[in-house]
Amino acid sequence: MSIAVKQKQRLATLIKDAIEHIIRDDQLQVADIPEIHLETPREKSHGDFASNVALVLAKPAKKSPRQVAELIVEYLTDQEFIEKVDVAGPGFINFFISNQWLYDVLLTIEKEGLNYGASNYGKGEQVLLEFVSANPVGPMNVVNARAAAIGDTLARLLRAVGYNASTEYYVNDAGVQTEVFGRSLDARYRQLTDEEYPFPEDGYPGVYVSELAQKLQREGMDLSSMSDAERVEYCRTWGIDEMVAMQRADLVAFDVEFDRWFREQDLHSTGALEAVIETLTNSGYMYNEEGALWFRSTAFGDDKDRVIIKTDRTYTYVTADIAYHYDKLKRGFTRLIDLLGPDHHGYIGRMKAAVQALGYPKDALEVLILQYVALLRNGQQVKMSKRAGEFITLRDLIDEVGKDAARYFFLMRSLDSHLDFDLTLAAEQSSENPVFYIQYAHARICSILAQASEQNVQVVCVSEAPLSVLNKEVEIDLMKKLAELPEEISAAALYREPHRIARYALDLAGIFHSFYTHCHILGEEGNIRIARLALVSCVRLVLQRVLSLLGIVAPERM
RNA sequence: GCGCCUGUAGCUCAGCGGAUAGAGCAUCGGACUUCUAAUCCGAGUGCCGCAGGUUCGAUUCCUGCCAGGCGCGCCA
């Protein structure tokens, strides 16, 4: 349990004891005591922690909130660590407590190091996080890039709170689009020797297909002796393997590595679709109508039933997706998280229905919807046309603004937010760019610590440092911020809100920069210097911790 | 028509049941003989889309409406 949470519990217990005592003395008539909730007020004059119990208790007690608050304060047993208790505003009880807990935070950070803030909420539960899963017939776009950053950091967060999280990329290598892709590649290949050769009307227009054709000419098999069908099939499989390899390489450059790349084709070749259809049929959720086989997803709240086998006896894409999710569940994952684009929200109902029809609980599947990204350059929206094959890819983004800035910009907003990504700002290496602001804080600390060691300044471990000299306002602010991290990590992981960590990093860097200006370290002597060195080394560890959760480099020099 | 997301400072967005609604950018004015000025300090700005409801208390929860984005196939 984090130090901050411990303080809250300590105070909550005191309050509860006081209320019980008040009831025993018949000063207050209430049926039961509400849950005592302690919060950290944003306003410093409201103390270190505050409680609203009196406001909640006022009505059942038929007294004014302030009267209740006064009564509680009166009954609080004296504690050494409590310096002052106020009743303020409409009836809040504000606690001012001694700084010892903040020094304990520093000790904890030193002890836990880069694991600071970890917990065991997940208790090792097996979670499978699926994200990106872009079609292997084209480069990844900016929504895929956003999904990559969010999904990857979410996985890191889930691991930090004790889940056994795996990541997976589903490769749609079996659909009709892959056949179109095969024909497109074949046509471009033929055009290398025959300029007149026609390009399919429904073909993929992007230049990457032509580039792939040139690579095929250099490295692939000789296609001249093949039949038309053989050529297209070869182009399809060879081309998709190439595309997948490219996607994987781009994601690696983005510091996103998947535990597994799952091929849809494997479901088809192992008979997984037939198997899942049989399972659903045996459970009574399938019926024939108008020459097609339907899944009664409305039995679980979906808008309409879904076709599983079309009249032409082929499967719909939903069929493979159901088989895929069944496969995930059978592998022992008790919670599946899918991170999808906004155009897939209609898909939630049918997949949740499928999971239930297969005998698993409804919330075994959790679908997170990511909203769109608009790219801005010099204040103008960047126009993209998928038809013309003109759009900014993940690779372009990394080349233009760098991996760290790109990840930060995707992670700084909530999933629900329609993100405006300002390329000009992200590429800027200046104070306006939040990424550099955070990294600069880290570099500054490294510089101080390096100079301390050059100058043979005594650096002791936190447990031996005279921490009680850390009592200036900005020092307290800094330690309080450090104390918040464990709760921030839990909230970010459990509510699937990675942007909390991006914001936390920015806040922490801001307080550090202010501290840096107001409090010198190497220029000071004795206890102050020793204690501040201990403090900044803790700040450095925490910055490293949050940057690594965000997948952003913590540079030693800038 | 139905569904999802959004509407908060000039701009981009936090906050999502509590006390005087915040941050960055933009604007203006200060601070480098001392650990990196990629920094700091100060200044001001808000019918929290509109209207009801729940509550001791609503930007936060509920309902309706308005506006914007995106979906709604025996496509994937």
Side-chain angles (χ1 to χ4, degrees):
Chain A
M1 190 192 304
S2 85
I3 306 283
V5 171
K6 266 190 198 141
Q7 305 314 307
K8 292 181 184 178
Q9 290 205 343
R10 224 171 153 188
L11 293 168
T13 307
L14 278 176
I15 294 170
K16 189 156 177 273
D17 291 348
I19 296 172
E20 281 170 354
H21 196 171
I22 295 167
I23 294 172
R24 274 201 306 279
D25 283 4
D26 210 25
Q27 298 283 306
L28 208 60
Q29 290 80 38
V30 288
D32 42 20
I33 300 172
E35 199 178 328
I36 316 280
H37 181 72
L38 272 294
E39 63 172 29
T40 309
R42 67 182 54 199
E43 183 66 42
K44 272 178 220 160
S45 64
H46 295 153
D48 298 305
F49 297 98
S51 174
N52 68 342
V53 259
L55 276 66
V56 180
L57 234 33
K59 192 166 191 192
K62 299 198 180 77
K63 282 183 191 291
S64 84
R66 287 196 69 110
Q67 273 180 300
V68 178
E70 300 285 0
L71 208 49
I72 292 171
V73 171
E74 195 184 311
Y75 272 81
L76 283 174
T77 55
D78 280 341
Q79 296 287 325
E80 211 178 322
F81 77 101
I82 297 179
E83 291 182 344
K84 187 171 69 154
V85 185
D86 281 347
V87 173
F92 287 99
I93 303 172
N94 295 336
F95 293 90
F96 296 79
I97 67 174
S98 88
N99 289 334
Q100 185 54 48
W101 72 284
L102 294 171
Y103 307 140
D104 291 344
V105 167
L106 301 188
L107 293 168
T108 304
I109 292 170
E110 178 169 80
K111 195 171 87 207
E112 298 183 355
L114 291 175
N115 282 319
Y116 174 60
S119 61
N120 193 29
Y121 284 97
K123 300 189 180 74
E125 184 179 353
Q126 301 253 28
V127 177
L128 182 60
L129 190 56
E130 182 207 331
F131 56 103
V132 185
S133 299
N135 283 327
V137 298
M140 286 174 290
N141 60 33
V142 288
V143 179
N144 298 142
R146 186 179 188 185
I150 300 268
D152 183 60
T153 287
L154 212 43
R156 295 176 197 226
L157 285 166
L158 288 170
R159 289 176 188 130
V161 299
Y163 286 93
N164 190 347
S166 296
T167 58
E168 203 155 296
Y169 187 121
Y170 180 59
V171 183
N172 285 108
D173 58 355
V176 293
Q177 59 196 332
T178 64
E179 199 267 337
V180 175
F181 174 74
R183 283 190 282 111
S184 305
L185 179 55
D186 178 47
R188 291 296 187 214
Y189 179 83
R190 290 183 195 257
Q191 285 175 348
L192 294 173
T193 47
D194 174 9
E195 285 178 22
E196 301 298 308
Y197 193 84
F199 190 71
E201 210 165 283
D202 59 350
Y204 293 105
V207 287
Y208 64 93
V209 183
S210 306
E211 288 164 4
L212 213 49
Q214 287 168 26
K215 187 171 185 188
L216 175 58
Q217 191 180 41
R218 287 196 308 274
E219 301 173 11
M221 280 174 67
D222 178 21
L223 307 188
S224 55
S225 60
M226 296 183 184
S227 71
D228 283 1
E230 284 169 341
R231 291 177 68 111
V232 170
E233 178 56 17
Y234 180 80
C235 285
R236 193 179 75 85
T237 56
W238 183 89
I240 282 170
D241 286 348
E242 285 291 319
M243 292 304 296
V244 169
M246 268 166 56
Q247 291 181 337
R248 194 189 310 239
D250 289 352
L251 286 165
V252 167
F254 205 44
D255 264 359
V256 177
E257 296 195 48
F258 286 88
D259 293 320
R260 182 164 175 186
W261 288 66
F262 192 102
R263 296 289 198 121
E264 181 187 350
Q265 192 62 57
D266 292 345
L267 294 170
H268 293 271
S269 57
T270 57
L273 276 68
E274 291 77 6
V276 80
I277 289 168
E278 193 184 331
T279 304
L280 289 172
T281 304
N282 291 341
S283 318
Y285 294 112
M286 294 295 208
Y287 63 94
N288 283 290
E289 195 172 289
E290 296 169 5
L293 183 68
W294 296 72
F295 166 45
R296 197 184 303 283
S297 57
T298 50
F300 301 97
D302 195 12
D303 306 351
K304 47 185 115 170
D305 291 341
R306 306 291 167 177
V307 170
I308 294 297
I309 301 179
K310 297 186 264 183
T311 40
D312 67 1
R313 309 320 296 161
T314 61
Y315 301 109
T316 61
Y317 81 97
V318 188
T319 315
D321 276 350
I322 293 173
Y324 177 41
H325 283 76
Y326 192 32
D327 183 276
K328 292 181 188 178
L329 290 164
K330 283 193 296 187
R331 276 187 268 151
F333 293 103
T334 46
R335 178 172 287 268
L336 310 180
I337 303 178
D338 291 0
L339 184 54
L340 304 174
D343 48 338
H344 282 78
H345 89 267
Y347 157 112
I348 301 174
R350 67 200 75 166
M351 285 315 297
K352 278 189 155 305
V355 165
Q356 291 170 85
L358 289 165
Y360 295 88
K362 184 173 167 187
D363 54 2
L365 173 66
E366 177 181 330
V367 183
L368 304 177
I369 297 292
L370 201 53
Q371 295 301 321
Y372 272 121
V373 178
L375 288 177
L376 303 176
R377 191 182 273 130
N378 301 317
Q380 296 291 312
Q381 184 158 350
V382 180
K383 292 269 183 273
M384 289 186 263
S385 158
K386 199 163 187 178
R387 267 215 68 71
E390 290 166 4
F391 51 92
I392 308 270
T393 65
L394 168 59
R395 174 59 72 175
D396 297 335
L397 209 54
I398 297 170
D399 291 345
E400 184 164 342
V401 308
K403 185 262 294 183
D404 290 332
R407 281 190 71 121
Y408 190 83
F409 274 65
F410 285 127
L411 290 165
M412 71 199 285
R413 304 293 179 222
S414 67
L415 311 210
D416 287 340
S417 153
H418 300 218
L419 176 67
D420 275 357
F421 191 121
D422 187 334
L423 290 164
T424 315
L425 175 60
E428 208 164 311
Q429 309 213 346
S430 75
S431 58
E432 290 153 36
N433 190 329
V435 190
F436 288 89
Y437 184 84
I438 298 164
Q439 291 180 319
Y440 184 48
H442 181 262
R444 272 183 150 176
I445 298 172
C446 290
S447 173
I448 294 166
L449 295 175
Q451 285 178 59
S453 111
E454 271 170 35
Q455 296 168 21
N456 291 315
V457 170
Q458 186 193 12
V459 180
V460 303
C461 62
V462 173
S463 55
E464 286 169 23
L467 299 176
S468 61
V469 301
L470 299 173
N471 53 26
K472 287 187 69 166
E473 190 177 359
V474 70
E475 292 171 328
I476 302 292
D477 290 347
L478 201 45
M479 290 186 284
K480 280 188 176 174
K481 198 73 203 174
L482 296 175
E484 283 174 20
L485 184 70
E487 286 169 280
E488 249 353 280
I489 289 179
S490 317
L494 302 180
Y495 302 131
R496 325 300 188 214
E497 292 178 344
H499 73 278
R500 284 169 177 268
I501 302 300
R503 178 155 285 269
Y504 176 88
L506 193 62
D507 289 347
L508 177 59
I511 298 170
F512 169 75
H513 284 307
S514 179
F515 161 81
Y516 181 92
T517 311
H518 294 106
C519 298
H520 282 240
I521 298 167
L522 298 178
E524 298 286 346
E525 292 183 347
N527 285 349
I528 301 254
R529 182 169 67 189
I530 296 171
R532 285 185 180 161
L533 278 169
L535 173 59
V536 296
S537 65
C538 288
V539 174
R540 180 173 69 157
L541 266 170
V542 172
L543 282 170
Q544 287 172 354
R545 170 64 153 154
V546 291
L547 285 170
S548 97
L549 285 168
L550 297 171
I552 293 173
V553 170
E556 296 196 3
R557 252 183 288 278
M558 288 174 75

